[in-house]
Amino acid sequence: MDRFVIEGGRQLAGRIQVSGSKNAALPILLASILVDEPVYLSNVPRLRDIDTTLELLRLLGCQAEREASGDVVIHACHLRPEAPYDLVRTMRASVLCLGPLLARLGRARVALPGGCAIGARPVDLHLKGLEKMGARFSLEHGDIVGTCAKLHGASIILDFPTVGGTENLIMAAVLADGETVIENAAREPEIVDLAEFLRACGAVIEGHGTSVVRVHGVERLHGCQYRIMPDRIEAGTYLVAAGITRGRLEVEECPLAALDAVVAKLREMGMYIEREGDVVVAEARGELVCQDVTTQPYPGFPTDMQAQIMALMSVARGAGTVTEGIFENRFMHVPELCRLGARISLSGQTAVVRGVDRLTGAVVMASDLRASACLVLAGLAAQGRTVVRRIYHLDRGYEAMEKKLAAVGAAIFREKE
Ligand code: EPZ
């Protein structure tokens, strides 16, 4: 297992490039199952989860390769309906192949994803919506086994604006008979990117990005070329890196419009964040002040930025609360931040953060993707040496983070444990 060694206290300065979005690329890669012609995807980030998804696509009978150019080509020509547990358990997003397999083949066997560090993460809303479209499911030896004659349009009201559930239902609906209306749909920018990809393949979708999405089923989809949107969570992480090191970063490909709630909160804390030409400039001009944050479905403050802004608040003035409104167990970074000297107390789904003048380096343990990013950010600010262990969590969602940070002045090294 790898670890990061960070000598903290250095101000970051320079240009940092955001890669393609993990959470847009994963559903788009799996949506390629719906297309019986080659699909060419660019700006696909080089991440472990992407490699896992390409492996899953190959197991499902697709040709799925990354070309020398970096583009990914997928051709779902000889589909098989089974996604094995050993692969699904390493990446929950594999459940997003359920809708496309039912739409293309009328059957699917996908291992029921177990829980993960941040919560139980059930998929009941995915299955309920697909059943309204004519699918039938059974649980056999830990696998979800789904069958349908042919999916038909339905009117679905989601109990919760689930991102994955909305994505699975949109993908199932594009080849279904008739119209599907999804109400209380998730509105995340990654869903808009998925819908725009499917429209580029000939799907008829409207309302994506709002809470009512309408899909008119078509006979088949055709191949296309598509560029994945930039990763707004990676971008937000680097905005925080500028603030926590009291540096100045010029962030390239920063999807500012998809980060409204994050940018608003960082500005409230005292950061300067503005587009200047082809970059977004982020810097802490003067003292930063703690604020209160509650994570919510988009366009609210994203849960995937909760740990990162908590790291920033831990070295800001005053006190603030961080309330996690999406997942039931997404505070595992708190005890690790406290090892670095942060003053944070937990009460249910709310953390109270009291800013300190400085953190001091220590050995800490990453537990999940965004907690890892939070600990790296804290290590960049902490006095002395911080070692972040189990960095494989980070490799799932941040492309070459240590290289990007070192290029703007961080003293950060990857080592084998
Ligand atoms: C997506 O997960 C993202 N993953 C997550 O990012 C992100 O945190 C999450 O959306 C929320 O924004 C990908 O896009 C690959 P949900 P997803 O379905 O789709 C409950 C990261 O760090 N729920 O919106 O699994 C669920 O338990 C990852 O990049 C049900 O109860 O999220 C959770 O409490 C972490 N039943 C809440 O909804 C269901 O059928 C949000 O889940 C589905 C969800």
Side-chain angles (χ1 to χ4, degrees):
M1 280 192 264
D2 289 1
R3 63 187 187 185
F4 278 170
V5 177
I6 303 166
E7 297 296 342
R10 300 165 69 135
Q11 291 184 336
L12 301 189
R15 286 174 83 107
I16 194 162
Q17 167 101 33
V18 176
S19 301
S21 164
K22 168 179 85 81
N23 290 351
L26 294 181
I28 288 173
L29 286 167
L30 292 167
S32 304
I33 290 170
L34 294 160
V35 188
D36 58 12
E37 293 180 353
V39 160
Y40 300 86
L41 302 174
S42 57
N43 202 35
V44 179
R46 294 178 184 279
L47 301 169
R48 208 148 58 84
D49 275 6
I50 297 297
D51 295 342
T52 304
T53 305
L54 293 176
E55 188 189 336
L56 170 59
L57 286 168
R58 288 190 282 267
L59 284 173
L60 293 171
C62 304
Q63 291 168 12
E65 298 305 330
R66 189 182 289 268
E67 298 188 319
S69 66
D71 288 2
V72 168
V73 183
I74 298 166
H75 190 185
C77 37
H78 306 293
L79 275 176
R80 290 191 291 272
E82 305 205 357
Y85 173 72
D86 279 352
L87 195 141
V88 172
R89 71 181 176 79
T90 65
M91 188 188 67
R92 321 177 28 74
S94 312
V95 74
L96 293 176
C97 72
L98 204 50
L101 286 173
L102 288 169
R104 274 294 298 278
L105 296 179
R107 65 187 194 283
R109 175 187 281 267
V110 180
L112 181 66
C116 75
I118 63 178
R121 300 185 72 183
V123 292
D124 56 313
L125 302 181
H126 300 231
L127 304 182
K128 226 164 101 177
L130 292 168
E131 283 171 344
K132 292 199 80 170
M133 298 174 71
R136 288 293 168 267
F137 295 102
S138 59
L139 188 61
E140 296 173 22
H141 310 294
D143 288 348
I144 303 168
V145 179
T147 57
C148 63
K150 178 157 171 63
L151 293 174
H152 55 72
S155 181
I156 300 163
I157 302 176
L158 288 170
D159 295 345
F160 180 85
T162 153
V163 172
T166 303
E167 290 168 342
N168 238 334
L169 293 173
I170 288 174
M171 291 189 283
V174 294
L175 296 177
D177 278 339
E179 181 187 52
T180 298
V181 180
I182 306 166
E183 294 185 67
N184 197 25
R187 298 160 58 185
E188 272 69 3
E190 294 76 19
I191 288 172
V192 174
D193 216 30
L194 168 65
E196 286 304 313
F197 162 74
L198 289 167
R199 281 156 51 93
C201 296
V204 180
I205 305 171
E206 55 201 31
H208 41 295
T210 76
S211 54
V212 181
V213 179
R214 291 177 190 281
V215 183
H216 301 267
V218 295
E219 275 304 305
R220 64 182 289 278
L221 297 177
H222 54 71
C224 78
Q225 291 182 336
Y226 193 78
R227 187 174 196 276
I228 305 294
M229 68 174 279
D231 192 315
R232 64 191 172 104
I233 304 301
E234 182 194 16
T237 303
Y238 292 136
L239 296 179
V240 171
I244 205 168
T245 62
R246 301 294 188 272
R248 181 182 187 280
L249 288 179
E250 298 175 347
V251 185
E252 293 180 24
E253 294 247 33
C254 181
L256 212 49
L259 279 169
D260 277 351
V262 174
V263 170
K265 197 55 72 177
L266 292 176
R267 284 173 177 160
E268 273 175 50
M269 288 185 69
M271 279 195 70
Y272 170 83
I273 299 174
E274 291 297 344
R275 185 173 294 284
E276 295 183 12
D278 63 344
V279 295
V280 168
V281 172
E283 62 181 326
R285 288 181 176 173
E287 199 175 39
L288 296 181
V289 182
C290 288
Q291 299 291 333
D292 296 337
V293 176
T294 298
T295 68
Q296 305 167 59
Y298 193 88
F301 191 94
T303 175
D304 292 350
M305 279 296 300
Q306 179 256 100
Q308 296 92 309
I309 201 164
M310 188 186 287
L312 184 62
M313 282 172 54
S314 64
V315 288
R317 185 167 60 79
T321 59
V322 177
T323 301
E324 173 55 50
I326 304 292
F327 290 110
E328 62 266 32
N329 185 35
R330 203 168 198 180
F331 282 141
M332 284 168 298
H333 44 285
V334 170
E336 300 303 309
L337 280 174
C338 291
R339 280 181 49 75
L340 298 173
R343 289 182 57 205
I344 307 169
S345 58
L346 289 178
S347 169
Q349 289 304 307
T350 296
V352 179
V353 182
R354 292 177 180 78
V356 297
D357 290 339
R358 72 175 58 255
L359 300 173
T360 54
V363 178
V364 289
M365 190 86 77
S367 53
D368 61 82
L369 170 55
R370 306 305 172 181
S372 314
C374 155
L375 296 174
V376 170
L377 292 170
L380 292 173
Q383 193 177 31
R385 169 168 295 195
T386 296
V387 176
V388 183
R389 304 182 62 195
R390 297 187 179 173
I391 216 67
Y392 62 84
H393 290 292
L394 196 96
D395 292 336
R396 297 191 54 174
Y398 287 91
E399 182 175 331
M401 180 184 249
E402 77 274 23
K403 294 190 177 73
K404 292 187 180 184
L405 288 173
V408 289
I412 179 170
F413 313 92
R414 180 187 289 260
E415 284 184 350
K416 291 289 175 209
E417 282 281 9

